[in-house]
Amino acid sequence: MQRRRINSAGVDARVRDLERRQLGKTAREAALGWAMSVVDLTTLEGADTPGRVRDLCSKALHPCSSMPDLPRPAAVCVYPAFVKQAKAHLAGSDVKVACVATAFPSGQYHLATRLGEVEAVVEDGVDEVDMVINRGAFLSGDHQRVGDEIRAVKQAAGPAHLKVILETGELATYDNVRRASDIAIQAGADFIKTSTGKIKPAATLGVTLVMLQAIRAHHLETGQRLGMKPAGGIASGDDAIKFFCLVKETLGEAWLDKSLFRIGASSLVDKLIAEIAALRVDGQES
Amino acid sequence: MNDARNNARRLAPDSYGEALVETPALPGRLGPLLRGEWVKPSGDTSATVLEPGTGQVLATLPTASEGELAQLLSRPMAVGRAASASDRAAAMRRLAEAVEANGPQLAALESLTTGRPIARTLHDDAPLLAGALRCFAEWTHLVGTADAGEPVVVPLTAYQSLLTCMDSLAPALACGRSVVFRAEPQAALPILRLMELVREEEVLRSLVSFVIVAAGERNEQRLIRPALVFADSDLDQAVEGIVPQAFTPALPGEAPGCHLFVEESIEPALLDRLRWRLGAARIGSPLDYNTELGPLPTKRALAAFEAHLTRAKSEGIAVERFAAPALLTAVRPDQIVARQALAGPAFVVISFRTPAEALSKLRATGARLGATTIWTEKAGKGQALAGEIAGRSTFCNTRDRLSPALTSGHAAFLRGETGDPWPFCSARPLEAAGFALEVEAEETPSAFAPFCTCRLIWQALGV
């Protein structure tokens, strides 16, 4: 695999340029609605309980009773222990159940343990598995092992979609982010994902751009379309719109679909609802 | 099940919608200006200024003939001798503040008449002009008073009039020199507003004159913008840096377009990315905040651009159109389109095998060079090549970076008593910003005698 060196000044310049985009009012409301439709509504806390997961699923099915036309999130994302419960709550709906696996968030367990976890959640009926890469192996230069482990998890995941979390905050440089993206793509990832959301920095526009460019390079070479999920740190409508512009301008409108793009977030949906409501009130008054 | 939810698959807006800035008010006076005073036009000729995208008439301006202009230049011009250096400096700083305060109007006038996107004029051109006025204000005490003599004659074309002012007005005022702007009609409106601001400064007023000369059939040789892309570069970032360079010229004297020299081994990969990017170009009204490619400023410019493309086809060159932008591939340096600036948003693609061949093909075009960009992750290679390229500014691994302290290389450095260039900004702030800089001094036009023209090399120092 060719080692690519990333022009970090160029990435940062492109990000500054993207941050200047302004959307017209109608386009803004549509973009916020789009953002809602691609959210993986997430709870990944040590203190999660069945009640918390029940409320999350209810939110996914009925995001806002005063605006019933708002789209549902694409998925809920929970710990492995709650997959069965989430599946039951969401049965018959188009909301997917995703879960983290492979010793999330550190990934520092024996491979057999991590694979066993994946097999268990597949048996519970999970739709999507979000795995973490072995950052220890990556940062010590054992890239072959990183790729082999992803392939093993892909096999264990069976019919479930595999998202591969790079934990870009620990990879630190754009070069590493691109390298890890290429490894994950070559190893069979369906999606590449920025972060666990447990450390900062999480999803920045810069690392997301580098990962989108990796996806584009793969598409140009093979024709295959893979997905992208920035996760963590996307906390407002403005943030979501920046990512919307980034995806649209880097990969094009085909990727503005929940089958190819997701946002990992916990409190974002409420912010989006509030902002859409404000826009609609504004529209009525003018 | 709610139908809107069923339709969740395709919810994203197709476009960004309109984000238009307010149409600016036109300047109160439409010229001509002679030594700071508005005068009646001597003749009865006039020219219209059209909005490039719509053809709507914006204003009708009185024009002068070349003979009338020559007569104007033959009269003795004012000299800033009466104003002390400190008064001049204070006036330039106040003028800079006025330019900032009126930046949105200046930028909008520039965009409205030249087609340059408002995102560039508002965030780059107007602030750079204010910054240049401030920077050169700091040098007035070292310049002292100027001798009476030739004024600085600044031709303004419709590609980038505010940036041209940055390059010429600021150093001229610092020297206490008279400036005569001779503008094409399409370039006039933002500069007329600028003249209104200059006139508010008593000590600077008499130094400026402004006439509009009807745009004739001058076959001005504009500068080409070469970009050299090597196999060891980050192709994705190179494409993002090259595209704006082709859409909007950055330095005075340049036209839109890019001569793209690409290492043969990566030519298919680069062109794939370039086609992808051109297909997503944001084309629209120059007053729309999201537009990156507005209309060409005049019908003449558009006709010249189309003529270039027709000529390219007649030379057997493949021409791909992406709405407005065009891609001309497999071009030889001896072909006509390689030897001229394109005057429009197009890429002329010439491949090379080695760095030496890249330089050789670049020189073989015989074209005058504007700013050159070099894309390679090897800093040493970039520096070595930059040293061989005879353009005014070279950028390594970065898009256009203009500093008001350094303008485009012209009158960038003060010449000390020994005649050596004396940089007025140290290299350290540039290094902190991630750039290295080299200076090679050249002879400067006598109107800017205290300053010297320099060759600038900007090297991005990324991690």
Side-chain angles (χ1 to χ4, degrees):
Chain A
M1 192 183 304
Q2 184 188 4
R3 181 174 293 275
R4 294 181 192 275
R5 294 175 65 174
I6 301 299
N7 180 338
S8 55
V11 170
D12 293 339
R14 178 74 177 129
V15 165
R16 281 194 300 274
D17 179 52
L18 273 159
E19 285 178 329
R20 286 180 183 171
R21 302 288 176 270
Q22 291 182 1
L23 267 60
K25 203 170 168 193
T26 308
R28 186 176 177 87
E29 186 181 331
L32 295 173
W34 163 83
M36 280 198 60
S37 73
V38 299
V39 162
D40 281 0
L41 196 55
T42 302
T43 185
L44 294 171
E45 303 296 331
D48 283 342
T49 59
R52 168 90 178 113
V53 172
R54 180 197 62 224
D55 289 346
L56 191 83
C57 293
S58 172
K59 183 81 179 178
L61 291 174
H62 308 283
C64 179
S65 21
S66 60
M67 290 187 288
D69 62 305
L70 290 184
R72 289 176 174 150
V76 298
C77 187
V78 295
Y79 271 121
F82 297 107
V83 168
K84 263 190 183 169
Q85 181 192 354
K87 283 292 287 186
H89 282 307
L90 298 171
S93 76
D94 58 349
V95 180
K96 304 286 186 196
V97 174
C99 82
V100 296
T102 67
F104 179 95
S106 72
Q108 297 278 21
Y109 284 60
H110 290 298
L111 181 60
T113 309
R114 289 181 271 151
L115 292 176
E117 191 180 26
V118 173
E119 286 158 6
V121 295
V122 170
E123 204 173 306
D124 285 348
V126 80
D127 299 306
E128 300 168 0
V129 172
D130 291 18
M131 69 163 287
V132 289
I133 66 167
N134 187 335
R135 279 92 73 204
F138 182 88
L139 293 170
S140 61
D142 194 353
H143 298 165
Q144 183 66 45
R145 184 171 161 199
V146 174
D148 289 343
E149 290 183 357
I150 296 172
R151 273 180 277 275
V153 171
K154 174 70 175 169
Q155 192 167 13
H161 262 224
L162 181 65
K163 298 195 198 89
V164 177
I165 304 172
L166 308 184
E167 195 64 310
T168 52
E170 288 177 352
L171 300 185
T173 66
Y174 290 140
D175 285 358
N176 280 347
V177 171
R178 179 57 190 259
R179 179 90 176 143
S181 300
D182 289 338
I183 291 170
I185 289 169
Q186 294 300 320
D190 298 302
F191 264 66
I192 50 176
K193 179 175 168 182
T194 56
S195 336
T196 63
K198 296 300 183 185
I199 66 165
K200 286 180 182 174
T204 64
L205 289 169
V207 299
T208 305
L209 175 60
V210 171
M211 293 169 72
L212 291 174
Q213 288 170 346
I215 290 171
R216 184 173 64 192
H218 181 73
H219 175 68
L220 286 170
E221 283 164 29
T222 66
Q224 193 183 12
R225 286 183 181 161
L226 299 179
M228 170 71 204
K229 177 176 172 180
I234 304 169
S236 67
D238 281 346
D239 290 342
I241 284 171
K242 285 173 190 169
F243 281 91
F244 162 72
C245 295
L246 181 59
V247 175
K248 181 179 160 69
E249 294 184 22
T250 309
L251 291 178
E253 297 201 353
W255 264 264
L256 295 175
D257 186 283
K258 62 185 178 182
S259 65
L260 288 172
F261 187 77
R262 301 284 180 83
I263 296 173
S266 48
S267 60
L268 177 63
V269 165
D270 288 333
K271 303 263 177 63
L272 295 175
I273 290 171
E275 201 171 325
I276 292 171
L279 283 171
R280 289 185 178 183
V281 165
D282 250 358
Q284 282 165 6
E285 285 174 356
S286 56
Chain B
M1 179 82 68
N2 187 297
D3 284 343
R5 289 207 190 107
N6 279 337
N7 202 30
R9 280 187 49 147
R10 185 70 197 97
L11 277 180
D14 290 330
S15 73
Y16 295 145
E18 282 190 339
L20 294 172
V21 302
E22 210 173 296
T23 305
L26 297 186
R29 295 299 297 262
L30 299 179
L33 186 75
L34 184 61
R35 292 191 288 278
E37 300 301 326
W38 300 111
V39 298
K40 273 192 180 172
S42 54
D44 57 4
T45 53
S46 63
T48 49
V49 180
L50 303 177
E51 191 177 344
T54 63
Q56 183 191 348
V57 174
L58 294 171
T60 302
L61 306 177
T63 56
S65 65
E66 295 285 351
E68 285 168 322
L69 178 61
Q71 207 176 22
L72 167 69
L73 292 174
S74 66
R75 296 181 204 167
M77 287 284 165
V79 173
R81 197 194 298 275
S84 67
S86 58
D87 285 345
R88 222 160 52 239
M92 287 180 69
R93 288 187 206 108
R94 286 193 300 268
L95 178 58
E97 284 175 11
V99 166
E100 272 179 349
N102 292 274
Q105 185 192 15
L106 288 167
L109 282 169
E110 177 94 348
S111 294
L112 184 67
T113 53
T114 67
R116 230 167 127 74
I118 188 74
R120 291 293 297 256
T121 57
L122 187 61
H123 291 296
D124 295 341
D125 302 0
L128 279 168
L129 176 57
L133 288 166
R134 281 204 177 88
C135 281
F136 281 95
E138 302 308 314
W139 293 94
T140 52
H141 67 287
L142 288 164
V143 171
T145 55
D147 297 325
E150 57 189 280
V152 180
V153 179
V154 182
L156 294 173
T157 68
Y159 284 113
Q160 68 280 74
S161 46
L162 283 178
L163 279 182
T164 306
C165 281
M166 174 185 86
D167 217 35
S168 52
L169 179 66
L173 294 180
C175 292
R177 284 284 193 188
S178 288
V179 184
V180 176
F181 290 106
R182 57 165 290 171
E184 285 181 7
Q186 206 65 25
L189 292 183
I191 308 307
L192 280 166
R193 180 67 187 116
L194 180 61
M195 292 299 101
E196 288 176 344
L197 299 177
V198 176
R199 287 191 73 248
E200 289 172 15
E201 293 300 328
E202 192 73 38
V203 302
L204 301 178
R205 177 188 297 176
S206 61
L207 295 178
V208 292
S209 300
F210 181 94
V211 291
I212 299 158
V213 179
E217 294 304 319
R218 279 192 308 275
N219 199 15
E220 199 180 309
Q221 184 73 354
R222 302 200 71 81
L223 306 174
I224 70 167
R225 294 290 310 272
L228 279 63
V229 183
F230 288 85
D232 59 5
S233 66
D234 178 350
L235 291 187
D236 294 306
Q237 270 43 260
V239 166
E240 291 299 341
I242 287 162
V243 165
Q245 159 183 346
F247 285 179
T248 49
L251 301 182
E254 293 179 347
C258 173
H259 281 55
L260 181 55
F261 294 79
V262 53
E263 192 162 350
E264 200 174 303
S265 58
I266 48 131
E267 186 176 8
L270 181 72
L271 290 183
D272 278 345
R273 283 160 174 76
L274 191 52
R275 289 183 182 106
W276 187 289
R277 180 65 177 85
L278 293 179
R282 301 183 311 282
I283 301 169
S285 163
L287 291 182
D288 189 320
Y289 213 67
N290 298 318
T291 292
E292 64 178 333
L293 176 62
L296 288 173
T298 60
K299 281 186 184 168
R300 196 173 91 245
L302 180 60
F305 178 56
E306 293 292 341
H308 276 299
L309 299 185
T310 304
R311 186 179 304 121
K313 287 180 194 165
S314 72
E315 291 188 286
I317 293 166
V319 177
E320 298 170 54
R321 295 300 296 266
F322 299 83
L327 191 58
L328 286 62
T329 52
V331 179
R332 299 192 316 269
D334 60 299
Q335 290 180 298
I336 295 174
V337 290
R339 303 173 76 80
Q340 293 177 343
L342 290 164
F347 295 84
V348 170
V349 183
I350 301 170
S351 67
F352 62 85
R353 291 166 300 174
T354 62
E357 191 174 59
L359 283 176
S360 155
K361 285 191 172 183
L362 177 59
R363 288 175 185 139
T365 63
R368 291 174 60 221
L369 304 184
T372 304
T373 51
I374 300 172
W375 299 88
T376 170
E377 289 297 306
K378 288 196 167 179
K381 185 199 287 184
Q383 288 277 300
L385 284 164
E388 296 290 325
I389 290 172
R392 193 187 282 169
S393 299
T394 308
F395 301 95
C396 297
N397 265 1
T398 181
R399 294 163 56 170
D400 301 326
R401 298 290 300 218
L402 297 184
S403 160
L406 298 171
T407 66
S408 59
H410 178 76
F413 285 74
L414 192 69
R415 199 187 292 281
E417 283 178 1
T418 60
D420 294 327
W422 183 10
F424 67 82
C425 73
S426 77
R428 231 175 269 156
L430 291 174
E431 285 163 2
F435 292 97
L437 183 68
E438 284 186 21
V439 173
E440 195 176 284
E442 298 169 8
E443 283 306 310
T444 191
S446 59
F448 294 133
F451 296 92
C452 58
T453 308
C454 299
R455 199 146 63 104
L456 306 178
I457 300 171
W458 295 84
Q459 172 81 50
L461 304 173
V463 294

